[in-house]
Amino acid sequence: MRITIKLFATLRTGRFDIETLEFSPGVTIDQVIKELGIPEKEVTLIFVNGHHADIHDTLSDGDTIDLFPPVGGG
Amino acid sequence: MEALHDFLLTHVQGDLLPWQAQVEAGEHFGLTFGQVEETALKLNILPSRYQRNRQTISTAQQLTLFQSKVAVIGCGGLGGYIIEELARLGVGNIKAIDPDVFEEHNLNRQILCNISVLGKSKAEVAEARVRDINPAVHLIPIKDAFSKANGVELLHDVNVTVDALDNIPTRIELAETCETLGIPLIHGTIGGWYGQITTQLPGDQTIQKIYGQRSEVRGVEKVLGNPSFTPAIIASMEVAETCKLLLNQGTSLHKRVLFINILDMEIEDIRI
């Protein structure tokens, strides 16, 4: 199934801004993050089709996920 | 009191009260700058310093701001700009909380930091700065680290809390304390070219949703650091959110996060 992935800020470095990729049915967000070679701790905010999501949520064909890194400075 | 009213009304120039008249009123009647400014605003007299606010903020709203109390947690990159802007806006009571002293690596971005204050308390430098801008604004410097242990005591008497912290775990504690006390929290944070802001109202749990159960202390700023422009942008937006909340104006970032990417000039408006 096809999942569109949008990466933000530092997560783009050496990767991409937006891409649609093929994954096995029933894939979870943490598996997608792993396949992209992103360490799990580098992702904080996750949205699926514009709705706040959990890293363990299962994806469906055609979903769009947005991944943001943690920002914590002041 | 009537004599003070007469004094202020006779010293109005046009429809504005000059600073010199505020000083003379204080000396003549043995009042603080704050007491004189509040009395003037109650009489619907606008101190001259606020004349360029006027098309945006009415004299009645200026009084509301003057009678408000805002806590700023952190007096560094974000906090310095936030305190500066709150004081110029005319927020009458500011609690500035920071345990640190200024160091050389703060000079690249922290507006309150200059060579002459290296080694001095950030909270005390903030107090001196605000006194220079407007001695009618009362800034309470607190040279202590915010934590869950002292949070209720520090924040129980404020209208709004503004986040200018430099780490994630303390932010989560701050958000929890604001939830406990039922007070709004304006969240802002920065790292390199990036920043995010939101307005958390009691019950929202927005900060907890953003950071989840994270154990890491720092985010992207650990590698990227912070340049001069990012804190100024995010701090200004935090002060605008604070102003709107205090005056019940406009549309806030309630249940929304703005994620700002200055490198590519992109702003994501996320519903959460």
Side-chain angles (χ1 to χ4, degrees):
Chain A
M1 59 185 198
R2 291 168 75 73
I3 305 289
T4 300
I5 301 152
K6 288 167 77 178
L7 300 178
F8 292 89
T10 47
L11 298 179
R12 291 176 177 175
T13 309
R15 298 189 187 92
F16 53 85
D17 293 7
I18 179 167
E19 257 184 35
T20 301
L21 301 170
E22 196 71 35
F23 290 92
S24 311
V27 72
T28 57
I29 296 171
D30 54 337
Q31 288 169 333
V32 169
I33 290 170
K34 199 174 175 186
E35 286 193 33
L36 292 171
I38 302 172
E40 209 174 279
K41 66 176 185 180
E42 288 185 17
V43 180
T44 298
L45 272 172
I46 302 168
F47 296 87
V48 176
N49 305 326
H51 298 285
H52 188 233
D54 184 85
I55 196 159
H56 303 297
D57 287 352
T58 302
L59 295 167
S60 305
D61 187 37
D63 280 349
T64 296
I65 63 172
D66 302 340
L67 303 176
F68 292 82
V71 182
Chain B
M1 200 54 136
E2 210 164 297
L4 171 62
H5 291 185
D6 289 344
F7 182 96
L8 294 174
L9 288 165
T10 55
H11 284 76
V12 167
Q13 290 181 7
D15 56 353
L16 298 168
L17 184 67
W19 173 245
Q20 191 52 39
Q22 285 185 253
V23 174
E24 284 170 20
E27 285 169 357
H28 191 78
F29 296 97
L31 299 171
T32 65
F33 292 111
Q35 288 170 319
V36 172
E37 190 155 314
E38 186 171 4
T39 305
L41 289 167
K42 282 180 176 169
L43 290 170
N44 205 32
I45 298 170
L46 190 67
S48 294
R49 66 168 55 244
Y50 299 122
Q51 59 183 299
R52 294 292 190 274
N53 281 4
R54 193 154 46 176
Q55 301 308 319
T56 308
I57 298 164
S58 69
T59 303
Q61 290 173 325
Q62 207 69 64
L63 175 63
T64 301
L65 292 176
F66 194 76
Q67 291 175 327
S68 298
K69 192 168 198 171
V70 174
V72 183
I73 320 297
C75 303
L78 290 173
Y81 284 103
I82 291 166
I83 291 163
E84 174 96 10
E85 292 179 20
L86 287 174
R88 290 187 190 274
L89 184 65
V91 170
N93 304 280
I94 301 168
K95 234 180 219 189
I97 302 168
D98 200 311
D100 294 336
V101 297
F102 281 112
E103 297 180 63
E104 206 169 330
H105 59 83
N106 302 145
L107 282 166
N108 81 320
R109 69 194 185 286
Q110 300 192 11
I111 192 74
L112 297 176
C113 184
N114 55 57
I115 291 164
S116 65
V117 301
L118 294 177
K120 292 189 178 167
S121 152
K122 293 185 177 183
E124 286 180 352
V125 169
E127 182 188 26
R129 175 68 184 166
V130 165
R131 206 183 305 119
D132 274 351
I133 296 168
N134 184 3
V137 171
H138 182 218
L139 186 139
I140 304 163
I142 294 166
K143 293 188 286 181
D144 201 357
F146 177 90
S147 72
K148 219 170 174 178
N150 64 10
V152 170
E153 190 193 334
L154 288 172
L155 303 183
H156 73 278
D157 59 347
V158 305
N159 303 105
V160 179
T161 295
V162 190
D163 168 14
L165 285 160
D166 65 356
N167 71 84
I168 296 168
T170 312
R171 269 202 178 84
I172 295 169
E173 291 191 11
L174 174 62
E176 288 168 355
T177 303
C178 289
E179 291 272 3
T180 303
L181 289 167
I183 52 175
L185 170 64
I186 313 297
H187 159 73
T189 184
I190 51 172
W193 298 95
Y194 312 103
Q196 71 188 26
I197 47 172
T198 187
T199 293
Q200 174 180 284
L201 300 182
D204 288 352
Q205 307 258 324
T206 312
I207 307 303
Q208 290 90 328
K209 284 180 194 166
I210 292 172
Y211 292 111
Q213 299 301 311
R214 294 194 72 79
S215 54
E216 285 81 21
V217 174
R218 307 208 185 277
V220 296
E221 71 283 358
K222 186 179 174 183
V223 175
L224 301 176
N226 286 303
S228 65
F229 41 80
T230 321
I233 292 167
I234 300 299
S236 295
M237 296 186 103
E238 289 188 81
V239 174
E241 281 295 280
T242 305
C243 179
K244 284 154 55 184
L245 205 59
L246 291 172
L247 299 180
N248 194 24
Q249 289 223 310
T251 306
S252 81
L253 287 171
H254 174 220
K255 297 197 173 181
R256 292 161 64 195
V257 178
L258 281 195
F259 191 95
I260 299 176
N261 170 349
I262 303 162
L263 184 63
D264 303 310
M265 283 300 176
E266 294 175 359
I267 298 179
E268 299 298 320
D269 183 353
I270 306 159
R271 308 279 154 171
I272 188 164

